[in-house]
């Protein structure tokens, strides 16, 4: 699939990466409910079964436990399975296989077996979906030893990071921010070039503030950075992209310039990944800080239905408020 002159969307970049690997690696197998004939609920696998056949692009029943489990069996026997969950909210029946088997296979077999699986799942809110269709529980999965968690935030990063995830010898949870599946287009050469895992991307540079966000929240975070720039405040915008293992070094490098940080995510605040990043900043870079780390997050509540989802998701105004709290903080000297 060639990139169009006017670019492709994030979901089209996912399709492009899957097609590239299906074409070039005969061990790659793609499966999930309705991903074959129908091309998946978001059409991420559209046309792949027709091109590569039903023995490599397989429809399964709506049985997430089975989808997660047969991926482990395939991976330990030499295949490179890519399993799709229709929504992140449906992944939990498969959690036992992901946590108890895929993530610890290398350790359990003392390196004799690895588990090169990619578990794909659309995640996050903002598309007016019903309950269980707007989950953002990435922090829970980052707590699992042996499991890499990756979240792209643009078509180019979706293509490059998915290629890297498929080629990785260990299991990867690849969370696709469905709110921006079709939000923007970008030229993405179909050249098979992977992007590095475990490395953050600096999307915008500035010396006054560090903004850290991932997934769909990058959209509002970049908009907030643009607004701040019009006010004479320049912000680094950092997309960790790989949430586990986390590239804390790039964030700390930024703090050496800015000394103030705001972390943005749409997941619930309590125990969210923002808390882990803030803790690591405190642990490794406390002396760099001129202000407490601010978090702009979702709330400790179930993601609401569409009438309230925009109030739940961190918008530009809430990010600006967090930024101003960090910028205006003045340490009390106690004198």
């Amino acid at each position: 699939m060639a990139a169009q002159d006017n670019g492709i969307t994030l979901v089209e970049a996912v399709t492009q990466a899957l097609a590239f690997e299906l074409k070039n690696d005969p061990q790659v197998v793609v499966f999930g409910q309705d991903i074959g004939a129908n091309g998946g609920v978001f059409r991420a696998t559209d046309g792949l079964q027709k091109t590569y056949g039903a023995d490599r692009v397989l429809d399964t029943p709506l049985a997430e436990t089975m989808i997660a489990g047969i991926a482990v069996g395939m991976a330990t026997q030499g295949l490179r399975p890519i399993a799709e969950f229709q929504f992140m909210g449906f992944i939990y029946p498969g959690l036992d296989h992901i946590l108890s088997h895929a993530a610890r296979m290398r350790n359990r077999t003392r390196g004799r077996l690895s588990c090169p699986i990619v578990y794909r799942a659309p995640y996050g809110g903002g598309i007016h979906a019903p309950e269980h269709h707007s989950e953002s529980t990435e922090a829970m999965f980052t707590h699992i030893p042996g499991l890499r968690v990756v979240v792209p935030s643009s078509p180019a990063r979706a293509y490059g990071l998915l290629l890297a995830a498929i080629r990785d010898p260990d299991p990867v949870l690849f969370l696709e921010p469905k709110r921006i599946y079709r939000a923007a287009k970008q030229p993405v050469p179909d050249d098979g070039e992977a992007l590095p895992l475990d490395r953050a991307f600096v999307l915008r540079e500035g010396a006054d503030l560090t903004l850290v966000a991932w997934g769909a929240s990058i959209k509002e975070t970049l908009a907030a950075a643009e607004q701040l720039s019009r006010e004479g405040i320049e912000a680094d915008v950092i997309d960790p992209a790989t949430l586990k293992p986390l590239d804390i070094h790039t964030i700390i490098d930024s703090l050496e310039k800015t000394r103030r940080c705001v972390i943005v995510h749409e997941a619930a605040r309590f125990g969210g990944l923002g808390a882990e990043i803030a803790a690591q900043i405190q642990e490794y870079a406390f002396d760099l800080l001129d202000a407490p780390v601010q978090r702009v997050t979702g709330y400790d509540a179930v993601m609401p239905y569409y009438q309230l989802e925009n109030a739940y998701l961190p918008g530009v105004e809430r990010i600006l408020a967090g930024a101003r709290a960090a910028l205006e903080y003045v340490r009390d000297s106690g004198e």
Side-chain angles (χ1 to χ4, degrees), residues 39-233:
V41 67
F42 290 101
R43 303 297 180 262
T45 54
D46 191 26
L48 297 182
Q49 188 180 72
K50 184 177 181 180
T51 302
Y52 298 101
D55 57 339
R56 297 188 64 204
V57 182
L58 294 77
D59 281 312
T60 71
L62 180 58
E64 286 79 10
T65 303
M66 180 207 70
I67 292 171
I70 63 174
V72 176
M74 289 179 174
T76 57
Q77 299 305 310
L79 296 177
R80 287 190 175 271
I82 304 169
E84 177 181 302
F85 297 97
Q86 285 193 334
F87 292 87
M88 190 182 193
F90 300 166
I91 201 172
Y92 309 116
L95 185 59
D96 181 44
H97 287 293
I98 297 171
L99 191 159
S100 301
H101 303 295
R104 62 179 60 191
M105 187 63 69
R106 179 180 293 279
N107 180 271
R108 172 176 291 158
T109 64
R110 302 299 183 263
R112 187 174 62 86
L113 295 176
S114 61
C115 223
I117 300 170
V118 176
Y119 292 113
R120 295 181 42 247
Y123 94 110
I127 64 163
H128 296 184
E131 190 177 12
H132 298 304
H133 292 68
S134 301
E135 301 285 298
S136 185
T137 53
E138 64 269 28
M140 182 174 73
F141 290 93
T142 63
H143 189 67
I144 299 174
L147 182 68
R148 183 176 269 104
V149 180
V150 177
V151 179
S153 63
S154 73
R157 286 188 288 283
Y159 179 79
L161 292 171
L162 182 53
L163 289 177
I166 296 168
R167 296 167 187 173
D168 194 85
D170 292 303
V172 177
L173 177 62
F174 196 82
L175 298 174
E176 298 163 10
K178 58 182 178 290
R179 181 157 62 89
I180 58 171
Y181 257 158
R182 295 178 173 84
K185 291 187 175 183
Q186 179 182 34
V188 182
D190 193 13
D191 55 9
E193 287 291 323
L195 289 172
L197 299 173
D198 312 341
R199 190 179 303 174
F201 297 88
V202 180
L203 307 184
R204 184 184 178 108
E205 295 194 38
D208 301 314
L209 180 67
T210 298
L211 299 173
V212 180
W214 52 91
S217 290
I218 286 289
K219 181 173 180 284
E220 288 78 20
T221 302
L222 286 170
E226 182 62 31
Q227 175 61 37
L228 290 169
S229 180
R230 288 194 288 271
E231 299 172 12
I233 299 164

Side-chain angles (χ1 to χ4, degrees), residues 2-8 185-188:
Q4 303 299 310
D5 290 341
N6 60 349
I8 58 176
K185 291 187 175 183
Q186 179 182 34
V188 182

